[in-house]
């Protein structure tokens, strides 16, 4: 990515741009580095935070000009605020030439039509987006560029073959303002610009990245457990304050610093003492704030007090001042946890999450902390280990010749699983002991009759021992005996569920060919469990720490999927998702329902009225029973809103509509959940891996996450 340089006016915008380069459909896979002005610009810089939001127009223009002087030959894209806030005019003047300006950010519902910026279809000037700016919002994009010559390329031209010619004939010194409603529109604008300076939102940055040649993928570092984490709420946004309160309620230690003490620099000792004594600290401000002066002082206090702790920094100004005080010259992008919440690494190895203060739902900070290290917080429901109110989970061992025994042992020794569930394996005790030897772990494998006589303590695995496998069963070889055994593990687990002994089943992988050779012809776990439990219809739900998606249709062709969708199926899918989330403790989940066509059909412009015919009646039927279901909504908009926390569940109409966003968002922790059964069932996202079975090389994280998701979604057992 050495040829691309993205300029942003603050740290939040720079981090969002880094996320756009790596997340929103880009084929760019190389490392992303975020440079912090005035760091020396190198070929490895991909995004540069100019820290110019507070500067005068003259200072902003000078800073942009300086970058262009020291980085000749680079493809420069300037990321601006998608609500047109900040010093836009001096930026475009400094860039020179016929600048192409496309501020639309479709993923956030911000579009440009007829030269006017619309927010969820409403003109910017009619919203409250500029309420804290001290001046009126511009009526048009051109109005945000006083004294600058502009011309507008309307949407019909953007989507026509005349776009290249229209942009090419614009004279130097005139800014080309482009309409755009979709990411496809932004792709067309980038292609037609032919090297002209580009200015726009993070959506335009992603379009630029998509247009560049692909790079070879690189490995991201494994997630690590952080010994200490400090969350700094450096914004007065009510949203951030509520998020901090949620984090404190979950067990984080609050440190409330009076603004006066921060400004005097006398708050360092208080914060340092709290950080040294607690693994998770939340810093909040009390008293009257003093804007930039306060955020600069807070940055110095945090830098002096936190030691080597990792950081979560909300609010762009505060984040930048903390990093400046720590003498951090640049950041290396690692991942995007949720929209706008970007995880990066400093040159000395510290991990930092930055996020705008107003972003995310009430549990945004909780999600961020859990993604860094879930062990920094108490169990999800605040339950003590082995509590009778912890969910009981039957864990099927899968195909004994594959990696199932290894991943089961590893998962049931993980602290988060031990502390939050009562888990019993259905399998073969002798095979689990062999797996423990392969992994080199010291564990007690204890046969039990069921959950009632199991003892739950660290270092112990309880197993309902069916004794079906021979002692000499070879690792990594197809075996009818192993296939037959895998069937009976599932059978016994389903019987336990039907008796109410367990609230969830977590399945290690079975081998379909071995299953068939063993005399049990089923396509897989889902169909087998449906028959064993007498269930006619089930749904697939993908569950991650930040997003849950349930599917109306799954493994059928797209044409067949559209034909199969009908109001009854949509309603039943909504109800199954609602029931699953309510059982997991969410009393009133917010459910967003995807449309089939782009823009939800846009009043008949796209498609043949499928939304009104196939989806809306199902939503209305669910709403009539008090279910908070909304839609049909355009899928691109809905997944953005769900990603930032506005919805608890997304209902996707077909396989790739749901699976695609989960995978593109880079969420490795996705788990498949079957809902509609009398019991919750989760599974790993891989197969039996015969090629490495019995070697100890298997990655066990997916099974751990499958267990965590089973714990989260499973209903709590009723008490007598």
């Amino acid at each position: 990515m050495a040829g691309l340089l993205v300029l942003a006016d603050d740290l939040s915008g720079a981090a969002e741009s880094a996320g756009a380069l790596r997340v929103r459909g880009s084929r760019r896979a190389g490392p992303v580095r975020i440079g912090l002005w005035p760091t020396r610009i190198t070929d490895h810089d991909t995004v540069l935070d100019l820290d110019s939001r507070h500067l005068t127009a003259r200072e902003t223009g000078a800073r942009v000009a300086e970058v262009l002087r020291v980085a000749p030959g680079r493809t420069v894209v300037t990321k601006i605020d998608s609500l047109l806030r900040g010093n836009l005019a001096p930026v475009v003047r400094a860039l020179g030439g016929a600048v192409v300006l496309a501020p639309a950010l479709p993923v956030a519902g911000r579009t440009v039509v007829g030269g006017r910026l619309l927010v969820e279809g409403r003109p910017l000037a009619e919203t409250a987006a500029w309420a804290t700016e001290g001046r009126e919002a511009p009526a048009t994009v051109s109005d945000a560029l006083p004294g600058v010559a502009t011309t507008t390329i309307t949407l019909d031209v953007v989507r026509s073959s005349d776009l290249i010619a229209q942009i090419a004939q614009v004279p130097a010194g005139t800014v080309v303002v482009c309409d755009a409603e979709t990411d496809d529109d932004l792709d067309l604008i980038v292609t037609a610009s032919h090297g002209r300076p580009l200015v726009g939102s993070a959506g335009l940055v992603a379009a630029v990245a998509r247009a560049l040649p692909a790079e070879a993928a690189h490995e991201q570092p494994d997630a690590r457990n952080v010994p200490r984490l400090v969350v700094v709420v450096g914004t007065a946004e009510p949203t951030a304050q509520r998020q901090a309160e949620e984090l404190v309620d979950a067990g984080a230690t609050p440190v409330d610093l009076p603004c006066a003490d921060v400004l005097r620099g006398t708050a360092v000792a208080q914060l340092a003492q709290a950080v040294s004594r607690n693994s998770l600290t939340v810093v909040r401000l009390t008293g009257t704030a003093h804007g930039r002066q306060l955020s600069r002082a807070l940055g110095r206090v945090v830098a002096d007090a936190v030691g080597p702790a990792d950081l979560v920094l909300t609010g762009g100004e505060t984040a930048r001042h903390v990093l400046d005080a720590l003498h951090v010259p640049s950041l290396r992008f690692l991942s995007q946890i949720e929209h706008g919440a970007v995880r990066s690494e400093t040159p000395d190895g510290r991990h930092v999450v930055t996020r705008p203060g107003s972003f995310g739902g009430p549990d945004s900070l909780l999600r961020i902390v859990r993604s860094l290290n879930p062990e920094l917080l108490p169990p999800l429901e605040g339950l003590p280990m082995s509590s009778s109110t912890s969910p009981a989970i039957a864990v099927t061992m899968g195909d004994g010749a594959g990696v199932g025994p290894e991943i089961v042992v590893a998962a049931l020794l993980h602290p988060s699983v031990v502390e939050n569930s009562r888990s019993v394996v259905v399998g073969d005790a002798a095979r689990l002991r062999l797996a423990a030897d392969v992994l080199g772990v010291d564990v007690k494998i204890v046969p039990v009759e069921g959950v009632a006589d199991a003892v739950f303590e660290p270092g112990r695995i309880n197993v309902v021992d069916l004794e079906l496998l021979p002692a000499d069963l070879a690792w990594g070889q197809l075996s009818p005996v192993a296939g037959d055994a895998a069937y009976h593990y599932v059978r016994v687990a389903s019987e336990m569920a039907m008796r109410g002994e367990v609230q969830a089943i977590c399945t290690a992988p079975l081998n379909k060919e071995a299953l068939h050779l063993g005399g049990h012809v089923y396509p897989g776990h889902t169909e087998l469990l449906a028959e064993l439990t007498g269930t006619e219809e089930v749904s697939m739900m993908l569950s991650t720490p930040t997003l849950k998606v349930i599917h109306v249709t799954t493994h059928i062709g797209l044409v067949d999927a559209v034909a199969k969708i009908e109001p009854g199926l949509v309603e039943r899918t909504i109800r199954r998702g609602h029931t699953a989330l309510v059982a997991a403790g969410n009393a009133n989940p917010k459910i967003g329902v995807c449309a089939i066509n782009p823009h939800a059909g846009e009043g008949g412009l796209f498609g043949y009225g499928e939304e009104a015919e196939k989806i809306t009646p199902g939503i209305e039927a669910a709403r009539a029973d008090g279910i908070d279901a909304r839609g049909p909504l355009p899928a691109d908009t809905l997944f953005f809103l769900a990603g930032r926390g506005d919805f608890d569940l997304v209902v996707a109409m077909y396989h790739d509509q749901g699976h695609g966003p989960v995978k593109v968002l880079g969420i490795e922790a996705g788990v498949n959940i079957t809902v509609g059964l009398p019991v919750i069932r989760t599974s790993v996202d891989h197969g039996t891996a015969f090629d490495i079975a019995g070697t100890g090389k298997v990655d066990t994280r997916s099974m751990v996450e499958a267990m965590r998701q089973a714990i989260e979604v499973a209903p709590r057992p009723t008490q007598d």
Side-chain angles (χ1 to χ4, degrees):
M1 216 176 279
L4 177 62
L5 179 60
V6 180
L7 307 181
D9 63 358
D10 66 2
L11 183 55
S12 295
E16 186 184 7
S17 297
L21 292 175
R22 285 294 309 277
V23 175
R24 295 192 192 138
S26 169
R27 296 180 296 156
R28 307 292 288 178
V32 177
R33 183 174 183 266
I34 303 172
L36 307 182
W37 180 276
T39 184
R40 184 176 64 87
I41 300 170
T42 72
D43 287 345
H44 300 289
D45 284 306
T46 310
V47 182
L48 179 62
D49 170 21
L50 293 175
D51 194 25
S52 61
R53 183 67 70 90
H54 64 285
L55 299 180
T56 65
R58 181 184 296 274
E59 291 169 334
T60 299
R63 192 160 289 187
V64 174
E66 174 64 12
V67 171
L68 298 178
R69 185 185 66 79
V70 300
R74 300 289 292 274
T75 300
V76 176
V77 181
T78 304
K79 189 271 179 191
I80 61 168
D81 182 77
S82 60
L83 296 172
L84 303 178
R85 296 171 298 195
N87 290 321
L88 182 54
V91 168
V92 298
R93 289 195 188 98
L95 290 171
V99 172
V100 175
L101 173 61
L105 184 59
V107 71
R110 297 167 187 178
T111 60
V112 179
V113 179
R116 292 196 308 167
L117 179 63
L118 306 179
V119 181
E120 299 293 350
R122 295 175 58 201
L124 174 64
E126 297 178 9
T127 72
W130 275 51
T132 61
E133 292 297 300
R135 53 198 173 108
E136 292 185 358
T140 68
V141 176
S142 295
D143 288 343
L145 298 166
V148 177
T150 65
T151 186
T152 299
I153 303 290
T154 57
L155 199 59
D156 59 332
V157 176
V158 168
R159 296 173 178 175
S160 75
S161 59
D162 293 334
L163 179 59
I164 295 176
Q166 289 286 333
I167 293 178
Q169 69 185 19
V170 175
T174 298
V175 173
V176 182
V177 177
C178 291
D179 282 1
E181 286 186 323
T182 67
D183 287 339
D184 288 342
D185 294 335
L186 294 175
D187 287 338
L188 292 171
I189 292 165
V190 168
T191 301
S193 295
H194 285 305
R196 293 171 182 261
L198 288 167
V199 178
S201 69
L204 187 71
V205 175
V208 171
R210 287 192 292 269
L212 293 172
E215 291 177 343
H218 74 294
E219 290 190 8
Q220 291 285 354
D222 289 340
R224 64 190 188 124
N225 288 341
V226 293
R228 297 192 188 282
L229 181 64
V230 178
V231 179
V232 182
V233 182
T235 173
E237 286 280 352
T239 299
Q241 299 301 320
R242 288 193 296 269
Q243 294 164 350
E245 198 61 43
E246 291 267 354
L247 200 54
V248 171
D249 289 344
T253 300
V255 179
D256 294 326
L257 302 179
C259 291
D261 290 352
V262 171
L263 289 166
R264 286 194 296 264
T266 58
V268 175
Q270 177 187 352
L271 179 56
Q273 184 179 56
V275 172
S276 67
R277 294 179 177 178
N278 300 281
S279 58
L280 177 60
T281 307
V282 181
V283 181
R284 303 180 295 191
L285 296 175
T286 62
T288 305
H290 295 278
R292 186 172 178 79
Q293 180 185 4
L294 177 64
S295 64
R296 184 182 292 110
L298 178 61
R300 291 193 294 267
V301 169
V302 171
D304 290 342
V306 297
D310 286 357
L311 298 168
V312 176
L313 306 173
T314 67
E317 284 284 314
T318 296
R320 179 58 197 253
H321 288 310
V322 170
L323 295 177
D324 284 348
L326 287 169
H327 306 293
V328 174
S330 64
L331 297 169
R332 184 169 69 91
F333 174 89
L334 295 178
S335 64
Q336 181 162 264
I337 298 170
E338 59 183 39
H339 180 73
V342 172
R343 183 178 186 176
S344 303
E345 185 180 38
T346 65
D348 62 358
R350 187 197 304 267
H351 283 207
V352 178
V353 176
T354 56
R355 200 213 63 193
S358 61
F359 276 36
D363 63 347
S364 176
L365 291 179
L366 278 169
R367 293 183 179 191
I368 291 170
V369 171
R370 289 198 188 282
S371 73
L372 294 172
N373 184 0
E375 294 170 23
L376 290 176
L377 291 170
L380 288 172
E381 296 295 331
L383 300 170
M385 184 183 70
S386 304
S387 165
S388 62
T389 56
S390 300
I393 300 174
V395 184
T396 61
M397 198 178 75
D399 192 303
V403 296
E406 295 167 73
I407 63 176
V408 165
V409 169
L412 268 66
L413 292 177
H414 196 277
S416 66
V417 175
V418 173
E419 293 174 3
N420 291 284
S421 70
R422 296 173 296 139
S423 302
V424 173
V425 181
V426 182
D428 272 51
R431 198 65 174 179
L432 292 173
R433 293 190 185 102
L434 287 176
D437 291 341
V438 166
L439 295 171
V441 296
D442 184 16
V443 59
K444 293 183 292 184
I445 309 290
V446 183
V448 296
E449 293 298 319
V451 176
D453 67 326
V455 176
F456 302 99
E457 61 185 14
R460 170 181 169 130
I461 294 177
N462 302 286
V463 55
V464 176
D465 188 7
L466 300 190
E467 299 182 86
L468 296 175
L469 298 179
D472 60 351
L473 178 70
W475 293 103
Q477 294 185 19
L478 198 65
S479 166
V481 175
D484 177 59
Y487 165 82
H488 288 290
Y489 302 152
V490 177
R491 176 185 59 78
V492 172
S494 66
E495 291 170 355
M496 295 170 69
M498 296 299 285
R499 292 194 297 266
E501 296 177 23
V502 297
Q503 286 74 52
I505 297 173
C506 183
T507 59
L510 53 74
N511 184 284
K512 294 176 184 177
E513 187 176 356
L515 183 69
H516 295 175
L517 290 174
H520 309 286
V521 183
Y522 297 92
H525 271 117
T526 302
E527 295 78 10
L528 173 56
L529 281 164
E531 179 173 303
L532 289 171
T533 59
T535 306
E536 293 185 3
E537 188 176 85
V538 296
S539 294
M540 175 192 296
M541 183 164 76
L542 298 180
S543 182
T544 78
T546 57
L547 186 65
K548 288 180 173 60
V549 182
I550 192 169
H551 294 72
V552 175
T553 66
T554 51
H555 295 109
I556 57 177
L558 184 55
V559 173
D560 295 331
V562 174
K564 184 176 180 179
I565 297 167
E566 50 87 17
L569 180 57
V570 171
E571 179 189 353
R572 294 192 299 274
T573 304
I574 294 172
R575 290 183 184 278
R576 278 192 285 272
H578 178 266
T579 299
L581 268 62
V582 169
N586 187 338
N588 187 31
K590 295 180 176 61
I591 301 173
V593 183
C594 288
I596 296 174
N597 295 298
H599 304 289
E602 201 163 295
L605 183 61
F606 305 111
Y608 300 94
E610 288 88 353
E611 282 72 26
E613 175 188 346
K614 295 172 173 287
I615 301 175
T616 299
I619 297 173
E620 292 175 346
R623 289 184 63 84
D625 281 350
I627 295 175
D628 188 0
R630 308 176 192 182
L633 299 170
D636 53 356
T637 299
L638 176 52
F639 276 102
F640 163 75
L641 295 174
R644 76 178 188 186
D646 291 6
F647 290 96
D648 301 302
L649 178 67
V650 172
V651 179
M653 291 297 117
Y654 51 89
H655 182 280
D656 284 10
Q657 189 181 54
H659 281 63
V662 170
K663 293 181 179 180
V664 168
L665 284 170
I667 302 173
E668 301 87 1
V671 169
N672 183 353
I673 300 179
T674 307
V675 294
L677 297 168
V679 61
I680 290 295
R681 175 255 174 169
T682 67
S683 70
V684 294
D685 60 358
H686 59 75
T688 49
F690 279 167
D691 57 326
I692 59 171
T695 68
K697 297 180 180 179
V698 64
D699 188 335
T700 61
R701 289 176 295 180
S702 183
M703 189 65 180
V704 172
E705 186 58 31
M707 287 296 298
R708 286 180 181 166
Q709 294 287 338
I711 293 165
E712 179 182 347
V713 180
R716 270 45 193 170
T718 56
Q719 300 295 294
D720 296 330

